[in-house]
Amino acid sequence: MAIIDSVKAKAKADKKHIVLPEGMDRRVWKAACMIEREGIADISVIANDFEVEAYSRGLDVSRINIINPNTSDKLQQYIDDLVVLRRMKGMTPDEAKELLTTDYIHYACMMLRENEADGVVSGACHSTANTLRPALQIVKAKPGVKLVSAFFIIQVPNCEFGDEGIFLFGDCGLEQNPDPERLAAIAVDSARSFEKLIERDPCVALLSHSTMGSARHPDVDKVAKAVAIAKEMAPELKIDGEMQLDAAIVPEVGIVKAPGSPVAGHANVLIFPDLDSGNIGYKLVQRLAKAEAYGPVTQGIAKPVNDLSRGCSANDIVGVVALTAVQAQLGI
């Protein structure tokens, strides 16, 4: 069974209100129609009249809630609240109005802040920075979290590794070059996200070009330090490393390269040492192994705001919306 089908079933059981602020992209309208038909979530699409006409043509959008910020009765309230929120940065009412009516992710994030939505999915035609910067400025991080990071849920077809081909890859979307403390936090947060979303026991490997000291380099030291910190943070979790990828997921290799490790050969949560390796890694698996890749899914924001790859399909958007709805249910 595709893991996303299980996620969709959870989403349908307790429908949440998810906002899609990219009404200037036809993939978003196609996804919104699919979500409405399947009953995965209550959907709002943000678009002006021209965008609705130009990008939803030929689709039945009659049952989709469409929000035009320019004519919304919430606009003035959002302007006032955004000015107060960003007053230390010198935000003016005119600047707030411009952001809310032209850069719709700001409007969507204000909906979250005002408890008028449960989650936001964006990024089909905007960069990660354009999606997540307003989220961090307006929605903010959860109290007490060390950092906001991002992961992908990966399902590789006909794969005996991981959890029947299911993996979590982190961080593949946000943290450029985390230090040991941040890398440890990513590992622990990712394990808990996997446990909650996938409902299976996480087995976490922190990846490197070295396995258990087989190479010497400051990059290896960083990962080894992160492993030690993560084990202190969450001694109840199976976390180990540093490990090469084959030692992490292939049992026969794990036994040879990391004998006695509770993780080696059985990892289903793979933590990459930096954003370069994480982004390259997930795209290799997605394109060459024909894997399903859902994300980047954020963790650590007060309410879920999730990014999309700009190469996403309408089906990918549907999957991320389902994950976002379940995050909202679980408070991830």
Side-chain angles (χ1 to χ4, degrees), residues 106 126 129 163 183 190 202 210 219-220 231 241 249 310 315 332:
H106 288 83
H126 291 87
D163 205 318
L183 192 59
S190 296
S210 167
D219 289 346
V220 176
K231 287 181 175 180
I249 67 170
R310 278 173 284 178
N315 281 325
I332 298 174

Side-chain angles (χ1 to χ4, degrees), residues 73-141:
D73 59 5
K74 297 286 186 180
L75 179 58
Q76 190 58 52
Q77 175 189 333
Y78 288 178
I79 291 170
D80 296 341
D81 291 348
L82 186 55
V83 167
V84 171
L85 182 65
R86 303 290 291 164
R87 64 186 179 279
M88 299 301 293
K89 298 295 182 180
M91 179 72 70
T92 68
D94 286 345
E95 289 170 341
K97 183 177 181 180
E98 177 74 11
L99 285 173
L100 291 165
T101 56
T102 62
D103 192 359
Y104 300 156
I105 183 66
H106 288 83
Y107 192 98
C109 287
M110 288 301 297
M111 290 180 68
L112 280 191
R113 185 176 179 85
E114 303 286 342
N115 295 317
E116 290 168 0
D118 300 303
V120 171
V121 174
S122 186
C125 54
H126 291 87
S127 70
T128 294
N130 285 343
T131 295
L132 296 183
R133 187 186 304 111
L136 295 173
Q137 292 173 344
I138 295 171
V139 186
K140 309 286 190 182

Side-chain angles (χ1 to χ4, degrees), residues 225-243:
K225 289 177 185 176
V227 171
I229 295 168
K231 287 181 175 180
E232 276 191 30
M233 291 172 63
E236 76 281 4
L237 294 174
K238 288 183 181 178
I239 298 177
D240 213 354
E242 83 286 0
M243 284 186 202

Side-chain angles (χ1 to χ4, degrees), residues 199-258:
E199 295 184 336
R200 304 188 189 188
D201 293 334
C203 193
V204 186
L206 280 80
L207 300 179
S208 172
H209 69 275
S210 167
T211 298
M212 304 303 188
S214 65
R216 294 183 179 278
H217 190 274
D219 289 346
V220 176
D221 296 339
K222 178 183 86 167
V223 179
K225 289 177 185 176
V227 171
I229 295 168
K231 287 181 175 180
E232 276 191 30
M233 291 172 63
E236 76 281 4
L237 294 174
K238 288 183 181 178
I239 298 177
D240 213 354
E242 83 286 0
M243 284 186 202
Q244 293 162 296
L245 187 278
D246 56 353
I249 67 170
V250 182
E252 296 82 1
V253 178
I255 289 171
V256 173
K257 290 189 173 183

Side-chain angles (χ1 to χ4, degrees), residues 152-165:
F152 277 80
I153 297 296
I154 304 286
Q155 185 162 26
V156 185
N158 305 313
C159 178
E160 70 270 32
F161 304 129
D163 205 318
E164 299 177 330

